Amino acid sequence: MPDALALVFDIGGTMTRAGLYDLAAGRLLRTERAATPSVSAGASEPGPELRTRLYDLMERLAARLGADGPDRIVVGFPGPVDEGGVALRAPTVWGTQADPEPVAARVKAIWPGARIRVVNDLSAAGYGFLRHDHDDACIVTVSSGIGHKVFLDGRPAIGPAGRGGEIGHLRVDFSDEAPLCECGARGHLAGLACGRAVPGQAMRLACRDPGAFARSSLAAPVAGRAARVDSHLVARTFRAGDPWSAALVGALAAPLGRALAGIHAAVGVERFVIMGGFAQALGPAYLAQVGQAAAASTWDLGQDWGRMLELGEMGDDAGLIGAGRLAAREWGGPA
């Protein structure tokens, strides 16, 4: 494979993407994708087998790209990653399994001659959204889970062990009935505010006012069973202007807005890029609800949350583009 190219991966709970990034031209050339072998996709194999299947998939995707003997590889991985490329946890891929995974070493075993960087998937995507090398921004994903990375002076602030930027696993509901998160704990932000939280939030809202749910656009498609409401359905009815769907989305947006207000109050970052399939499906009206919750959660110093929040517009390739730009920073070529 030519030295001017980097092999880049964006591993997600449901989909793994691979691409070839042209370091000289600063652009993504071609991509491949396949379903991730994960608990999010319904896999039930033992942990070691599931992990091995992921690396087999990465090797197959690279072969489909024609990446023979790659020299430079960047992997965006869905969980906290330390400086040595060891993933501390990966609940969207391996559920409650807590054993650290030496991702960089496993990738090195496949491609022994390559220079390899393994970073959190949001860290990788974040490089694609920076406006310049010293930009400050908070990159947030709202999809099958929730994560964030604060970039200060163009670098993700994750701490020496890579534990930072995991706001999705901050406990925000301390009630006995708090929903379970995929990591196995109760009351985490992801369990209340991501796409997978939709059925639980729908049930809670419907129990408070069954009549309002029965009159909503959602009731008929799910035969009156709120537990069957999913993220795709609520996105459609929300965009169509259904009032009950708007209330449901408000319940999902509120805890996220409060969390972003906390990040803003703590470090002062004033640009929040919201990406992820669920956020993109809901669109600007969802962003407005997140902003309203954020504004109500911290003091007014003249912030304009409508300006501070924006939707990430690179679509499914954001993680690959960001990984490519990180490769260019690390090993040469335009960023």
Side-chain angles (χ1 to χ4, degrees), residues 128-199:
F129 288 107
L130 297 183
R131 296 169 296 193
H132 53 78
D133 284 353
H134 301 283
D135 199 10
D136 295 341
C138 180
I139 315 300
V140 184
T141 186
V142 185
S143 55
S144 56
I146 288 179
H148 87 289
K149 286 295 177 289
V150 172
F151 280 73
L152 300 175
D153 195 30
R155 296 286 180 181
I158 58 174
R163 297 188 179 100
E166 297 294 335
I167 198 71
H169 296 284
L170 174 70
R171 188 168 187 182
V172 295
D173 183 345
F174 291 86
S175 68
D176 293 338
E177 301 79 25
L180 276 172
C181 179
E182 282 187 320
C183 72
R186 286 194 178 275
H188 285 185
L189 177 64
L192 294 167
C194 74
R196 293 186 182 277
V198 167

Side-chain angles (χ1 to χ4, degrees), residues 33-231:
R33 66 189 63 195
T36 304
S38 68
V39 295
S40 295
S44 58
E45 295 97 323
E49 293 182 16
L50 200 57
R51 297 182 187 213
T52 297
R53 283 183 59 198
L54 175 62
Y55 300 107
D56 291 343
L57 173 62
M58 293 171 69
E59 195 168 7
R60 290 198 306 273
L61 291 176
R64 280 157 51 177
L65 287 167
D68 182 25
D71 177 64
R72 312 170 195 198
I73 301 172
V74 175
V75 179
F77 190 84
V81 178
D82 71 15
E83 292 181 355
V86 175
L88 307 181
R89 295 288 294 275
T92 61
V93 182
W94 298 319
T96 59
Q97 297 173 33
D99 294 337
E101 174 67 12
V103 180
R106 296 287 297 268
V107 174
K108 188 75 170 177
I110 301 171
W111 294 288
R115 288 170 281 182
I116 296 165
R117 276 293 307 274
V118 180
V119 297
N120 172 265
D121 57 345
L122 229 355
S123 293
Y127 285 100
F129 288 107
L130 297 183
R131 296 169 296 193
H132 53 78
D133 284 353
H134 301 283
D135 199 10
D136 295 341
C138 180
I139 315 300
V140 184
T141 186
V142 185
S143 55
S144 56
I146 288 179
H148 87 289
K149 286 295 177 289
V150 172
F151 280 73
L152 300 175
D153 195 30
R155 296 286 180 181
I158 58 174
R163 297 188 179 100
E166 297 294 335
I167 198 71
H169 296 284
L170 174 70
R171 188 168 187 182
V172 295
D173 183 345
F174 291 86
S175 68
D176 293 338
E177 301 79 25
L180 276 172
C181 179
E182 282 187 320
C183 72
R186 286 194 178 275
H188 285 185
L189 177 64
L192 294 167
C194 74
R196 293 186 182 277
V198 167
Q201 291 284 39
M203 286 190 294
R204 283 187 283 276
L205 192 61
C207 285
R208 288 199 292 269
D209 192 343
F213 172 63
R215 294 188 296 271
S216 75
S217 300
L218 282 165
V222 298
R225 296 170 61 185
R228 295 175 58 185
V229 175
D230 63 23
S231 60

